[in-house]
């Protein structure tokens, strides 16, 4: 609205004056791929034409779910490949330790009175 000044004339609203003062320069500075407050900074850079600039947020990426879906199959493949060697080695080590403990205990009993 227009307000009256003390001498009886109508005063213009400041916001309409400012917006009309920059009305002609606005289309010249228009870059729609950049925020308005960064147009001066990016004025010399040509926008990429046809280049994909969108990326997926880390919150949208599924990092764990595909791994969980393929984990059983890959675990079975790895176990069936090297499992006999691992199991055989574990049996051999445990058997050797149990045997040496039994022999040590037998030797200790032989020294009794």
């Amino acid at each position: 609205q227009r307000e009256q000044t003390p001498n009886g004339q109508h005063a213009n609203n400041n916001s309409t004056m400012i917006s009309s003062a920059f009305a002609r320069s606005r289309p010249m500075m228009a870059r729609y791929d950049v925020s308005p407050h960064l147009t001066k900074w990016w004025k010399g850079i040509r926008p990429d034409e046809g280049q994909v600039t969108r990326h997926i947020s880390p919150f949208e990426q599924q990092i764990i779910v595909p791994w969980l879906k393929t984990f059983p199959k890959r675990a079975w493949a790895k176990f069936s490949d090297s499992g006999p060697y691992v199991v055989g080695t574990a049996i051999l080590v445990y058997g050797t330790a149990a045997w040496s403990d039994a022999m040590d205990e037998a030797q200790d009993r032989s020294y009794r009175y």
Side-chain angles (χ1 to χ4, degrees):
Q1 292 185 5
R2 300 176 78 183
E3 299 176 8
Q4 261 190 339
T5 58
N7 62 2
Q9 296 177 347
H10 291 285
N12 286 336
N13 193 355
N14 284 342
S15 64
T16 57
M17 282 180 53
I18 292 172
S19 64
S20 64
F22 292 109
R24 290 189 178 187
S25 63
R26 192 175 300 128
M28 293 170 55
M29 294 187 340
R31 273 199 62 161
Y32 300 107
D33 58 338
V34 178
S35 297
H37 67 284
L38 293 173
T39 52
K40 186 173 183 180
W41 179 268
W42 288 98
K43 70 181 176 185
I45 310 297
R46 284 191 52 185
D48 297 327
E49 295 174 6
Q51 181 178 354
V52 177
T53 56
R54 182 181 168 157
H55 66 280
I56 297 177
S57 166
F59 298 106
E60 295 178 19
Q61 295 179 0
Q62 293 187 0
I63 299 170
I64 302 296
V65 173
W67 181 80
L68 286 175
K69 287 180 180 177
T70 61
F71 174 73
K73 182 179 178 183
R74 290 186 300 128
W76 176 253
K78 287 183 179 185
F79 178 75
S80 63
D81 182 39
S82 61
Y85 300 109
V86 172
V87 170
T89 304
I91 290 172
L92 185 64
V93 168
Y94 183 77
T96 304
W99 177 77
S100 65
D101 284 344
M103 289 290 114
D104 186 49
E105 189 176 328
Q107 185 181 13
D108 290 343
R109 288 179 192 264
S110 69
Y111 293 128
R112 288 187 178 177
Y113 297 103

